[in-house]
């Protein structure tokens, strides 16, 4: 009788230990999934509530012969393959200068050289936003925690040009474009992969933005 009780106790204990271990594994998996989801960009469809006229745009092609082979800082990445964000920033600042007289103009190649010299890129070629303001006196940087359609429209109303992260063709590789206006219910953007330099509909990239930044000269001249 005692042997039967001991055996039952052993199997109950074994099942309890197994259940506890399984619960622990599930908790670890749930935590991992949650961290992955938090680190993943969340796409937001953006469409304007009204029209924003497109003025003269200083467009830059990231594969331009003049700078396509230039490295982003000390990283192994080049302007041709990874210079979309740098090209958009140069376009935003130069377009603002052309239209308002604020700040100054620069090409994508000139900006990349400046950012490289001031160590604004990290080892992976990513821009360190706090250092960008230090490297370019008079420039302000907005790093949005999430994509807010209303915030994008407010920036355009103020004469600033939002940079948004999209997916090429709506489902491809991550890519940055510059919103420069809107018409017929959709945004137009300066796309660093568009060799012609003409603004294209954001719908070519799905009209979905995953991140938003804005870089502009502080103080627009009237």
């Amino acid at each position: 009788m005692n042997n039967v009780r001991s055996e039952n106790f052993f199997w109950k204990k074994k099942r309890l230990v197994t259940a506890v271990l399984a619960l622990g594994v599930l908790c670890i998996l749930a935590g991992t999934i949650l961290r992955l989801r938090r680190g993943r960009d969340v796409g937001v469809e953006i469409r304007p509530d009204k029209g924003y006229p497109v003025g003269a745009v200083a467009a830059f092609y990231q594969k331009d012969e003049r700078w396509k082979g230039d490295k982003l800082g000390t990283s192994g990445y080049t302007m041709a393959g990874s210079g979309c964000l740098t090209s958009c920033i140069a376009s935003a600042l130069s377009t603002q200068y052309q239209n308002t007289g604020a700040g100054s103009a620069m090409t994508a190649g000139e900006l990349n050289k400046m950012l490289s010299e001031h160590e604004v890129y990290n080892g992976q070629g990513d821009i360190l936003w706090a250092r960008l303001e230090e490297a370019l006196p008079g420039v302000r940087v907005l790093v949005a925690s999430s994509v807010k359609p209303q915030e994008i429209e407010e920036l355009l109303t103020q004469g600033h040009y939002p940079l948004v992260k999209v997916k090429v063709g709506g489902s491809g590789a991550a890519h940055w474009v510059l919103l420069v206006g809107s018409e017929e219910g959709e945004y137009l953007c300066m796309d660093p992969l568009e060799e012609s330099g003409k603004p294209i509909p954001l719908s070519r990239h799905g009209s979905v933005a995953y991140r938003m930044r804005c870089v502009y000269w502080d103080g627009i001249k009237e």
Side-chain angles (χ1 to χ4, degrees):
M1 190 70 173
N2 289 335
N3 289 337
V4 172
R5 288 180 178 178
S6 297
E7 186 174 346
N8 289 339
F9 176 77
F10 171 77
W11 285 111
K12 286 180 180 179
K13 184 177 181 181
K14 185 174 182 179
R15 285 196 294 271
L16 179 61
V17 171
T18 301
V20 170
L21 290 175
L23 181 60
V25 171
L26 287 175
C27 289
I28 292 173
L29 287 174
T32 300
I33 292 172
L34 181 60
R35 286 193 295 273
L36 287 173
R37 286 182 175 177
R38 285 178 176 174
R40 189 181 301 162
D41 295 332
V42 177
V44 176
E45 183 174 10
I46 55 173
R47 295 189 182 279
D49 286 335
K50 61 181 181 179
Y52 296 93
V54 179
V57 177
F60 296 114
Y61 181 49
Q62 67 187 76
K63 298 181 181 181
D64 190 299
E65 292 291 337
R66 293 172 292 174
W67 53 69
K68 69 177 186 179
D70 295 351
K71 298 288 183 65
L72 306 182
T74 58
S75 75
Y77 298 96
T78 64
M79 283 291 289
S82 303
C84 54
L85 183 53
T86 300
S87 298
C88 284
I89 294 173
S91 178
L93 296 177
S94 297
T95 299
Q96 184 184 350
Y97 170 74
Q98 287 181 178
N99 294 333
T100 69
S104 59
M106 65 195 75
T107 67
E110 290 170 340
L111 177 61
N112 177 56
K113 183 179 180 180
M114 188 181 302
L115 299 185
S116 296
E117 290 175 348
H118 287 81
E119 299 181 343
V120 178
Y121 296 112
N122 64 16
Q124 289 71 50
D126 300 320
I127 288 178
L128 303 174
W129 296 103
R131 290 189 184 179
L132 180 59
E133 287 191 348
E134 296 174 3
L136 293 172
V139 162
R140 294 292 175 265
V141 176
L142 168 64
V143 179
S145 58
S146 60
V147 178
K148 299 180 179 66
Q150 184 59 40
E151 187 173 25
I152 289 174
E153 300 212 42
E154 289 174 357
L155 288 168
L156 286 170
T157 298
Q158 295 166 9
H160 303 321
Y161 303 96
L163 298 86
V164 293
K165 184 179 180 181
V166 299
K167 291 184 179 180
V168 176
S171 59
H175 181 54
W176 287 89
V177 298
L178 181 72
L179 301 183
V180 294
S182 67
E183 64 179 20
E184 298 180 357
E186 71 172 305
Y187 285 111
L188 297 176
C189 63
M190 191 292 298
D191 185 347
L193 290 177
E194 179 61 37
E195 189 172 5
S196 71
K198 296 179 180 179
I200 67 169
L202 186 63
S203 56
R204 288 195 191 177
H205 297 304
S207 294
V208 174
Y210 295 84
R211 288 189 187 179
M212 194 276 282
R213 304 286 185 265
C214 192
V215 181
Y216 57 93
W217 294 111
D218 187 21
I220 296 179
K221 296 181 179 180
E222 299 295 340

